[in-house]
Amino acid sequence: MNYIKKISHSVTCIIIYLFLSLIINHYLQMFIKTSNSFLLNIINLISPIIICIILVMLNKELFKNKFKDLKINFKKYFSIMVKYYFLGVTLMIVTNFILTYFLKATPINESLNRDILTKLPLFATMSVLILAPISEEIAFRGSFKKLFKSELVFSLVTALIFGSIHVIFNGDFLFIIPYASLAFFFASAYFKTDNILVSITMHSFHNLLCLLLIFIGGLV
């Protein structure tokens, strides 16, 4: 019964992350209509902020004493973050390159993110660097950790779930491989340290690099 409760909690977190924003945005668009770009940025931030707060409140135990733990073990955790990020991003780049070369296409999710960054830069930056890393690490890794005793199984399962979420609504299913590749090493680093702040930091750093590459690409 306890195991079922844990699974229910994980599923609830994923549902909140995926669908609550649709409900919130629906009602916001009904009552707030504006073409002002600044207001649009602020309005679009309401949904991810609410979701992030809810997920943090539902998973408060994930953060208990973790800031102190990160401070005490910073050197050890930093080494793990660097090692696992390098492995993950290398595998992601290689698999992404192979798929892009043979399919002659880029991930649809990537194109959508570029489009949102262009249209709503403030929303995209806040969401990508802060809100998404926190919410996604809680929903797709933190809420699942108690279900698994094996690091390998935990990393594989959560990586596949994370990768699926990024491609399932767009239909470019093969690109689950690069997304899952990086997610696997995020999960492994989290499992080894038992500190959700580690994977959140890695996730945020990766998103920052992606934003910088998009920005530099736009200047070139």
Side-chain angles (χ1 to χ4, degrees), residues 69-81:
D69 175 57
L70 182 63
K71 184 178 180 181
I72 293 172
N73 297 288
F74 182 76
K75 281 189 176 180
K76 175 184 175 183
Y77 291 175
F78 182 74
S79 176
I80 291 172
M81 283 190 277

Side-chain angles (χ1 to χ4, degrees), residues 121-189:
L122 176 62
F123 158 69
T125 302
M126 287 287 292
S127 181
V128 165
L129 294 185
I130 302 172
L131 301 173
I134 295 173
S135 296
E136 291 181 1
E137 291 306 313
I138 291 173
F140 301 110
R141 275 176 274 281
S143 69
F144 280 89
K145 192 170 183 294
K146 290 182 179 180
L147 295 173
F148 301 95
K149 293 182 179 180
S150 165
E151 177 186 334
L152 178 60
V153 176
F154 168 74
S155 300
L156 279 173
V157 172
T158 55
L160 289 173
I161 294 172
F162 181 82
S164 298
I165 296 303
H166 284 73
V167 301
I168 195 169
F169 296 112
N170 302 321
D172 50 350
F173 299 109
L174 282 176
F175 281 100
I176 188 178
I177 299 172
Y179 282 115
S181 298
L182 185 60
F184 177 89
F185 287 97
F186 282 178
S188 292

Side-chain angles (χ1 to χ4, degrees), residues 49-86:
I49 288 174
I50 291 174
I51 290 170
C52 188
I53 292 172
I54 291 174
L55 288 173
V56 169
M57 293 303 293
L58 288 175
N59 297 271
K60 288 184 291 185
E61 74 283 354
L62 293 178
F63 296 89
K64 189 176 181 180
N65 299 322
K66 297 306 179 183
F67 288 94
K68 183 178 180 181
D69 175 57
L70 182 63
K71 184 178 180 181
I72 293 172
N73 297 288
F74 182 76
K75 281 189 176 180
K76 175 184 175 183
Y77 291 175
F78 182 74
S79 176
I80 291 172
M81 283 190 277
V82 171
K83 175 184 175 182
Y84 280 80
Y85 180 73
F86 176 77

Side-chain angles (χ1 to χ4, degrees), residues 5 16 32 50 59 102 109 146 168 170 196 199 211:
K5 187 177 179 180
I16 288 171
I32 305 175
I50 291 174
N59 297 271
F102 285 104
N109 188 68
K146 290 182 179 180
I168 195 169
N170 302 321
I196 194 70
S199 57
L211 278 182

